[in-house]
Amino acid sequence: MTSSRLPSPPVADRRPKHAMHHGIELTDSYAWLKADNWQEVMRAPDKLPSDIRAVLEAENAYAAAAMADTEALQATLFAEMKARIKEDDSTVPSRDGAWSYFMSYVQGGEYPRFCRKSSTKKSAKDEVLIDGNALGAGLSYFSLGAASHSPDHKLVAYATDDKGSEIYTIRVRDLATGKDLADEIGETNGNLEWAADSKTFLYTRLDDNHRPFAVYLHRLGTPAADDALVYREIDPGFFVGIGKTLSGRFLVVSSHDHETSEAYLIEAATPDQVPRLVAARETGHEYSVDHHGDGLVILTNNDGAEDFKIVTTPIEAPEPEHWTVIEPHIPGRLILSHTAYKHHLVRLEREGGLPRIVIRRWSDGAEHPIAFDEEAYSLGTSEGYEHDTTNLRFTYSSLATPAEVYDYDMESRERVLRKRQEVPSGHNPQDYVT
């Protein structure tokens, strides 16, 4: 397209705004384009001031005109990209007792579906619990966030955003009827965890600046306005989250910035108890907590452990003065994460530029790494739902090998390929050298 065929580019009004900072005067002629009511706009886009909307619409129209002669090329590129993605795909089901849960996609669908199937009946059909395509039908924007089943497998709490603001509303679906309960909780980022009773869950709420700042407790059948405050972060630089140990015994409230963290424990069986602090925050100290038997298993960089170490401590004495090192700090070996199963401790680490998964048996301390043949690759672990298991699920990929999902028996060391990413347009790893 030649420039003569283009409309004139839009020009936003200059409305100088002056401000003094540290004795220096700054002038911003376009500060007015940040809506004063931006918090309201995040929740209701139609509240955007008309003069700002006019600028955005003019910019979009100009971009569409400038790119008009590439529409055929855009369609070609989009078709090529789609040809490399399997549309009717699904994740490998993850077992939790009698059920296995997974996400799936359908041909032509825009959004994921949260599903399950029987873990014991091979002929059982897949059951769609939350259908993102049905929920998002007719909407200009839709996102399905967290979807979490209750411990008794009767309910699913799920979070959705239909405005693009990343402000999620949590709802709860009764799996016996397929209908949502009356419970509806707004102003969240979708982060939630069920308590042991399957009637209570904790969730993270956002403040006016879109920061996850507090954890609340919701009991099914009660108004969201009556939800109890569990933890509130007063430092505006810290962000709050809620998780659960793999054992299911503890809910973990975490607060962190980019270099400092702090964690609190709540017994999942008594979620209304006061959270118990593990280690008070100290600038530069990062740690994460899991649970095993009578103790806590903590990944930490305190006392100069720049590349992290793993310690244990009694549940009743979580403070750092009681910590005992079980995996020492080794400079140059970065421990990325740890997962405490009933019989094994798994750590994901990186050394010499390569990731590595190491399995340690709790009973005798014996450990072994999982070996791989390629010279460069990427690894990840998925802890799943079950604590009392010898099965570890991990993902593997390289520059030549598409993503693969394996189940690994931590005792027998048998490795089973559960899924290899399918490239519909074709891919032969032997055509490439890493």
Side-chain angles (χ1 to χ4, degrees):
M1 175 176 287
T2 62
S3 59
S4 61
R5 296 173 57 190
L6 282 175
S8 299
V11 178
D13 293 343
R14 298 175 64 90
R15 304 177 189 177
K17 180 178 181 180
H18 306 282
M20 292 290 295
H21 296 282
H22 308 291
I24 301 173
E25 183 178 22
L26 301 177
T27 300
D28 186 348
S29 297
Y30 303 103
W32 67 273
L33 289 171
K34 178 181 178 181
D36 292 334
N37 67 332
W38 67 267
Q39 291 101 331
E40 182 183 20
V41 173
M42 292 283 283
R43 293 155 177 81
D46 60 342
K47 299 297 183 181
L48 183 67
S50 58
D51 53 351
I52 298 178
R53 183 180 297 278
V55 171
L56 295 177
E57 290 176 347
E59 292 283 0
N60 288 338
Y62 181 78
M67 298 294 290
D69 63 344
T70 69
E71 289 181 356
L73 176 59
Q74 291 176 44
T76 298
L77 293 174
F78 182 59
E80 287 184 8
M81 287 186 280
K82 284 184 66 176
R84 287 163 171 78
I85 301 173
K86 181 176 171 60
E87 289 192 66
D88 54 340
D89 204 357
S90 64
T91 61
V92 179
S94 185
R95 179 169 179 155
D96 186 8
W99 296 97
S100 292
Y101 293 85
F102 61 100
M103 304 296 288
S104 74
Y105 299 82
V106 296
Q107 190 80 25
E110 294 283 344
Y111 311 109
R113 307 182 306 168
F114 184 56
C115 309
R116 73 179 180 185
K117 64 180 181 180
S118 172
S119 298
T120 57
K121 301 176 183 178
K122 293 184 178 181
S123 60
K125 294 182 179 180
D126 296 349
E127 182 180 350
V128 179
L129 308 180
I130 305 295
D131 187 346
N133 294 303
L135 293 172
L139 299 176
S140 59
Y141 179 89
F142 178 77
S143 173
L144 176 62
S148 177
H149 64 277
S150 59
D152 63 6
H153 304 278
K154 295 180 179 180
L155 304 166
V156 169
Y158 67 99
T160 61
D161 168 24
D162 60 8
K163 297 181 178 64
S165 61
E166 296 185 351
I167 299 174
Y168 286 83
T169 298
I170 296 173
R171 297 177 177 85
V172 180
R173 179 156 298 179
D174 183 335
L175 299 183
T177 65
K179 298 185 180 300
D180 289 347
L181 305 181
D183 305 73
E184 186 173 302
I185 304 161
E187 301 297 313
T188 85
N189 66 348
N191 180 209
L192 65 96
E193 287 288 351
W194 286 95
D197 62 2
S198 295
K199 299 177 182 178
T200 309
F201 61 83
L202 277 63
Y203 65 93
T204 308
R205 187 176 291 182
L206 299 170
D207 65 11
D208 288 340
N209 292 317
H210 207 273
R211 177 180 67 102
F213 80 108
V215 173
Y216 281 80
L217 181 149
H218 178 74
R219 297 189 187 281
L220 297 180
T222 65
D226 295 341
D227 290 352
L229 175 65
V230 175
Y231 175 83
R232 179 188 180 96
E233 177 54 63
I234 60 174
D235 188 327
F238 276 66
F239 297 79
V240 173
I242 179 69
K244 185 186 289 185
T245 59
L246 184 58
S247 66
R249 177 172 173 180
F250 293 104
L251 298 162
V252 183
V253 176
S254 61
S255 186
H256 63 88
D257 63 6
H258 296 294
E259 63 170 357
T260 304
S261 57
E262 188 173 64
Y264 297 79
L265 299 180
I266 302 170
E267 293 272 0
T270 53
D272 53 356
Q273 70 177 196
V274 176
R276 176 166 185 173
L277 175 64
V278 175
R281 70 184 63 173
E282 296 181 18
T283 301
H285 180 204
E286 297 178 83
Y287 70 93
S288 57
V289 183
D290 209 338
H291 161 246
H292 178 259
D294 296 328
L296 303 176
V297 188
I298 301 172
L299 178 65
T300 173
N301 69 344
N302 78 327
D303 292 335
E306 182 179 12
D307 292 324
F308 290 84
K309 61 186 177 182
I310 299 176
V311 303
T312 60
T313 190
I315 292 172
E316 299 306 319
E319 299 81 8
E321 56 265 29
H322 303 292
W323 291 1
T324 299
V325 176
I326 61 169
E327 185 58 42
H329 171 243
I330 300 177
R333 181 200 64 177
L334 176 63
I335 304 178
L336 299 166
S337 65
H338 73 307
T339 304
Y341 293 88
K342 184 173 182 178
H343 304 289
H344 300 86
L345 173 66
V346 175
R347 67 178 189 269
L348 177 63
E349 58 190 34
R350 185 168 61 236
E351 187 172 20
L354 280 180
R356 178 171 57 199
I357 298 172
V358 182
I359 316 296
R360 173 197 289 249
R361 188 187 296 121
W362 284 114
S363 60
D364 57 10
E367 63 178 42
H368 69 274
I370 303 177
F372 303 95
D373 295 330
E374 292 186 280
E375 294 190 32
Y377 49 83
S378 177
L379 285 177
T381 59
S382 175
E383 66 180 28
Y385 299 112
E386 296 188 322
H387 179 241
D388 186 2
T389 180
T390 61
N391 184 69
L392 168 68
R393 178 162 295 168
F394 69 86
T395 57
Y396 174 92
S397 64
S398 76
L399 294 172
T401 305
E404 298 176 334
V405 179
Y406 288 89
D407 279 346
Y408 181 81
D409 190 295
M410 293 182 279
E411 280 297 321
S412 70
R413 305 191 186 185
E414 179 185 8
R415 186 184 315 186
V416 178
L417 176 64
R418 295 296 306 276
K419 179 182 178 180
R420 177 180 288 118
Q421 180 185 357
E422 181 181 334
V423 183
S425 59
H427 173 75
N428 181 9
Q430 303 306 316
D431 291 340
Y432 302 86
V433 176
T434 301

